[in-house]
Amino acid sequence: KNKENKMSWSQYVDALTNAGFTSAAVLGTQDGGNTYSLYAISNGFNISESEINVLLGTFKDRTTAQTNGIRLNGVKYIPSLNPIQIEDDKFYCGRITNPVGGFVVAKSNTLALLGVYDANLQPGQANTALLTNRDFLSG
């Protein structure tokens, strides 16, 4: 069932930015999702280890993200739904102030894909593009 991975991780980041995301990252886990490492990230997009921990820790406990929002590359995103809706191993947050947009994060057993978008990409399009790539990688 697994597809042979002939692309480098950075090519998956490129696929996401080509789909309309302004920034993207591929994160991997070796321990079932307790910790994640950065496999590839788009140029100019910097995510700190603490930002990664809050972002992906939200899948296990929504409290911090719900209360304080989620910062990526220093930009604060607020969950659009209270409580944060996690379905199909993905969730999203948005911004209504500058910069307008949001992010989608989706995970599998070994990977998490993150895509940040601006007003040029609609949330539904962002969800579809990210899940398509996640499902391809998941086999």
Side-chain angles (χ1 to χ4, degrees), residues 49-76:
E49 190 173 330
S50 66
E51 288 176 335
I52 290 170
N53 291 338
V54 170
L55 174 71
L56 296 170
T58 302
F59 282 107
K60 293 182 179 180
D61 181 359
R62 306 169 198 194
T63 309
T64 300
Q66 198 69 62
T67 304
N68 302 323
I70 294 175
R71 289 190 178 277
L72 299 174
N73 203 35
V75 176
K76 185 176 182 177

